[in-house]
Amino acid sequence: MSEQLNVPTMEEFMAQGKQPDILFWVGSAGSYDDRAKKITRAFVKILNKANVNFAVLGTEESCTGDVAKRAGNEFLFQMQAMMNIEVLNGYEVKRIVTCDPHSFNCLKNEYPSLGGNYEVLHHTQFIKELIESKKLEIKDGTFQGKRITFHDPCYLGRANSEYDAPRDVLATLNANILEMKRSKATALCCGAGGAQMFKDAEKGDKEINELRTEDALKTNPEIIATACPYCMTMMSDGVKVKEKESEIQVLDIAELIAQSQNL
């Protein structure tokens, strides 16, 4: 990697006696999955461009425990959560932003009962905030007139009723935003949530992600926009199965905004 990204850690902030405005929670996918790492980089570039005072936990960050909980291992979830809460509270973290709706849901709704109380934002909510406060200006016409359809992540949409932030951010691109027949509260899952990502398919004649990709293809898009690393994997695989890779890109909203800024 030749590009230099400025990614300070909480430890570095603490050593200087300072506190960042936000903690960027990278998440397991954003840290280890090669495709999701690109989303992480795109979001960091946006944070750097908007001069956001942020930090990451780095090696002190562990999995939120979401997958363990969804798979039914409550004991492992609580162990992972308590470890994270100890670190977060030790740093007196107040505001967390993450690109992963699963981490977002877990930190926001499931950590408070274990002693972890934070303001938690999804990256689309935070990017919207940056645009509205004029810290980020979208002027470029990179995606002007492009046909973009947005796939709602379950843990952002139906689990947390956030349908507007991703669409409001997409609206700044001057693209042609197309809604799938199943969208917002009636959106179909990509097939990866609830720890399904890590188990074999059930009996049936079609994978969920193929079905969801078919929904997207009906809008005749040039780009399928997502806002979740799991959705990214499933929709990308769906596009491959349908042999549409040469015609359709699957991009996270952070990547679209970063590209529009030539970052």
Side-chain angles (χ1 to χ4, degrees), residues 54-67:
F54 79 99
V56 297
L57 285 175
T59 53
E60 293 186 275
E61 182 185 303
S62 174
C63 176
T64 56
D66 165 76
V67 176

Side-chain angles (χ1 to χ4, degrees), residues 116-129:
N117 294 285
Y118 321 104
E119 183 191 357
V120 188
L121 297 170
H122 184 250
H123 72 309
T124 56
Q125 295 173 324
F126 191 68
I127 292 170
K128 180 183 173 179
E129 207 175 272

Side-chain angles (χ1 to χ4, degrees), residues 38-56:
K38 292 179 181 173
I39 301 170
T40 304
R41 278 194 206 106
F43 186 56
V44 167
K45 286 177 187 174
I46 292 168
L47 293 174
N48 286 168
K49 168 92 192 233
N51 294 316
V52 175
N53 189 13
F54 79 99
V56 297

Side-chain angles (χ1 to χ4, degrees), residues 66-126:
D66 165 76
V67 176
K69 189 176 182 74
R70 303 296 159 239
N73 194 336
E74 182 66 23
F75 177 67
L76 179 58
F77 160 69
Q78 291 204 14
M79 269 175 41
Q80 288 182 297
M82 298 298 274
M83 265 171 32
N84 285 324
I85 289 167
E86 201 170 315
V87 173
L88 292 167
N89 289 354
Y91 282 128
E92 296 179 7
V93 169
K94 304 280 186 288
R95 218 168 182 231
I96 302 174
V97 180
T98 180
C99 299
D100 175 14
H102 300 254
S103 297
F104 166 71
N105 179 68
C106 200
L107 293 164
K108 180 174 184 276
N109 300 321
E110 290 161 353
Y111 272 36
S113 64
L114 297 168
N117 294 285
Y118 321 104
E119 183 191 357
V120 188
L121 297 170
H122 184 250
H123 72 309
T124 56
Q125 295 173 324
F126 191 68

